[in-house]
Amino acid sequence: MALNEEEGNEAKRYREGVVNPAMLADENTNLTPLSKQAYFKDHQILIPDVEMKGFSFRKLWAFTGPGFLMSIAYLDPGNIQSDLKSGSVAMYKLLWVLLSATLLGLMMQRLSARLGVVTGLHLAEMCYRQYQKLPRIFVWLMVEIAIIGSDMQEVIGTAIALYLISNKGIKLWVGVLITAVDTFTFLMLDRYGLRKLECLFGFLITVMAISFGYEYIVVAPDQVEVLKGMFIPWCQDCDRESLLQAVGIVGAVIMPHNMYLHSALVKSRQIDRKKPEKVKEANRYFFIEACIALFVSFIINVFVVSVFAHGLHDKTNQQVYNVCLANGNSMASVFPENNELVDADIYKGGVFLGCQFGIAAMYIWAVGILAAGQSSTMTGCYSGQFAMEGFLNLQWARWKRVLLTRTVAIVPTFFVSYFSNIEDMNNMNDYLNSIMSLQLPFALIPTIAFTSSKAIMGDFVNSTFTTIASLLLAAVVIGINMYYVIDLVSNWTVDWAVYATVAIFGAFYLCLCMYLFLHMVASLGIFRSFSNSVFVEKYINSSATNFVLSNQSNYSRSEEELPRIKA
């Protein structure tokens, strides 16, 4: 009874212009703001009022920022390594996979951004309200694993870049320690304002584009072959290694924590959610910005793939070693004197460029990798902050949050760099890509579920086509990544206890995925009898979710009582 009275009061407030129409379902379902407010609450950027109708570059500039910060995840050292490996293994034949993965990423980033724009809550905050406590904590742990894995890749990339730039002067383990300090430098810059920080990231992306673009121009790959590889979805004469590399591209491009990040970054713009046309406008401009940002990231990735497709495909270690000797490169020993094909990585790739095209090419490559590692550092910091404040309703000071995750990332990387060699550090990148691939369901499923729920999104809910398409594509991506991980594990030569541990974790993992799937089916209301069942109410839905589902008829009634929101 109390809930019905509250619902009536909210409807009255809505008619009086007090309640945000896009958040009507959210307000009616106890989805009030968390006690620990999001970082951007007091740092929002104003959107200018422009009298002209239609597209406005001034407004686009005001909305520009979140998409480019999001796109940095598509350019981190893990992605760069995946790019150069795919080029050296399959030449240009897998560029269409990169294009397809980027388009899929754009689709999912669009959904996550819409969630933040329409509801005023980011993905982790919505999980806090929609999932029961125990599974919610486990989902948070999975997201944290993905963030830490990404953090480790940034540490590895930065350390290798410093190693190359200093011509081995800065030891790998020293480079790892340096990354522990530079993160806090970024946090100091953050104090000068979000807009300035976004400009800094734009500068770093520009550095990457110039660095890798320079390599592309110097190498001068066959442009016709590049275009064929990009638009002809086929991989003629590709072997198992090429297939695994194609799977690796998908896993490296689509980052699970990136959807949590993007849904929160859009909250940095001041959007009047009382006006549906403002919400619609924000969705449009954020999508345009995301398209531009991911197009830039795609071009940079194409540069890297093409450079090594032209330069390292079918090259043996002995051939590259001879080239290095002929040009007096002191790092020639990184290539063993044998006739095996070069197993490319970030470090060997830089050395090869220095041997083949002059030492300047190696340094420029290293600068690009350094920019990739450094730009990823701050976005990882933001992702962790949003995940913690959303899933746990807990907000630490950012320096504490960074200290925790960066310590977890640096400790194992430091020991590998100190007691092992650079090849082991590069091999870690492949395992980290696999680990992050495993976490994809914990971002894809919630994003699709929430944005396809009429109760949450109102008239901004996904269309039937969008819901079905996103579900099918998510299933394909998850299946591809599971195949990649299973293949990787099947090649292990370890004790039975390790396999037993993996099996136990696998069972737990599948149970958690099943919970998310059942919650999604229940929240969509596809099967009313299932959605309203005692099982769902007791074991699947949170109290907020139960209220949403039990009052879905109210939203159809609100179409007569309240002004309709135009999607």
Side-chain angles (χ1 to χ4, degrees), residues 21-35:
M23 291 269 302
L24 180 63
D26 193 46
E27 295 285 349
N28 285 344
T29 55
N30 281 337
L31 303 187
T32 52
L34 292 172
S35 59

Side-chain angles (χ1 to χ4, degrees), residues 281-402:
E281 176 187 75
N283 282 329
R284 180 172 70 252
Y285 280 106
F286 276 130
F287 179 63
I288 293 172
E289 187 228 0
C291 289
I292 297 171
L294 289 188
F295 174 75
V296 172
S297 72
F298 173 71
I299 294 300
I300 294 174
N301 282 314
V302 168
F303 286 162
V304 178
V305 173
S306 302
V307 164
F308 291 97
H310 180 84
L312 275 184
H313 181 66
D314 274 344
K315 291 286 181 65
T316 64
N317 287 313
Q318 185 67 57
Q319 288 175 318
V320 179
Y321 178 81
N322 293 337
V323 172
C324 290
L325 282 184
N327 289 281
N329 193 300
S330 61
M331 299 184 186
S333 59
V334 70
F335 299 99
E337 295 184 69
N338 60 43
N339 290 320
E340 295 181 7
L341 294 178
V342 175
D343 184 13
D345 54 46
I346 293 175
Y347 177 61
K348 289 181 180 177
V351 175
F352 161 74
L353 291 173
C355 295
Q356 186 76 44
F357 303 104
I359 197 66
M362 184 186 77
Y363 289 127
I364 292 172
W365 167 260
V367 168
I369 297 297
L370 182 63
Q374 293 300 284
S375 57
S376 303
T377 295
M378 196 62 190
T379 56
C381 167
Y382 274 135
S383 298
Q385 183 73 11
F386 296 139
M388 179 171 285
E389 73 179 17
F391 279 106
L392 305 181
N393 194 16
L394 175 66
Q395 190 176 53
W396 283 9
R398 285 192 298 283
W399 72 267
K400 294 180 181 178
R401 165 73 208 182
V402 173

Side-chain angles (χ1 to χ4, degrees), residues 56-235:
S56 166
F57 280 103
R58 187 181 172 195
K59 282 193 174 183
L60 177 62
W61 175 248
F63 282 105
T64 297
F68 279 92
L69 265 68
M70 168 274 296
S71 71
I72 287 169
Y74 291 71
L75 296 168
D76 71 355
N79 274 288
I80 300 301
Q81 176 144 315
S82 177
D83 290 339
L84 67 88
K85 280 198 168 188
S86 69
S88 62
V89 168
M91 292 192 74
Y92 314 100
K93 298 175 184 177
L94 298 179
L95 282 173
W96 66 273
V97 178
L98 177 62
L99 176 60
S100 301
T102 304
L103 291 175
L104 174 57
L106 174 63
M107 178 180 181
M108 298 311 300
Q109 297 297 160
R110 171 178 175 267
L111 296 185
S112 68
R114 282 172 63 87
L115 179 68
V117 169
V118 173
T119 67
L121 301 171
H122 59 69
L123 185 54
E125 289 175 321
M126 193 61 71
C127 288
Y128 180 86
R129 294 158 173 79
Q130 295 293 295
Y131 294 144
Q132 292 191 359
K133 184 176 182 180
L134 188 60
R136 169 169 52 85
I137 290 175
F138 284 135
V139 171
W140 168 67
L141 290 174
M142 292 297 187
V143 174
E144 288 292 344
I145 290 172
I147 293 171
I148 291 170
S150 176
D151 225 15
M152 291 180 71
Q153 289 187 323
E154 294 152 14
V155 171
I156 292 170
T158 302
I160 291 174
L162 293 173
Y163 188 67
L164 281 170
I165 290 173
S166 65
N167 197 17
K168 298 184 180 180
I170 299 177
K171 300 298 182 183
L172 289 172
W173 63 270
V174 176
V176 169
L177 294 179
I178 288 175
T179 61
V181 178
D182 61 16
T183 306
F184 294 96
T185 305
F186 278 103
L187 289 178
M188 291 174 62
L189 293 172
D190 184 37
R191 293 177 176 271
Y192 291 97
L194 177 64
R195 205 59 169 157
K196 292 183 177 63
L197 191 64
E198 289 175 346
C199 289
L200 173 62
F201 284 119
F203 169 74
L204 291 173
I205 292 174
T206 303
V207 170
M208 282 185 271
I210 293 173
S211 300
F212 300 137
Y214 169 83
E215 310 289 358
Y216 185 85
I217 293 171
V218 169
V219 173
D222 188 328
Q223 302 303 308
V224 175
E225 291 299 317
V226 171
L227 292 174
K228 285 171 60 179
M230 201 179 300
F231 296 108
I232 299 178
W234 188 247
C235 190

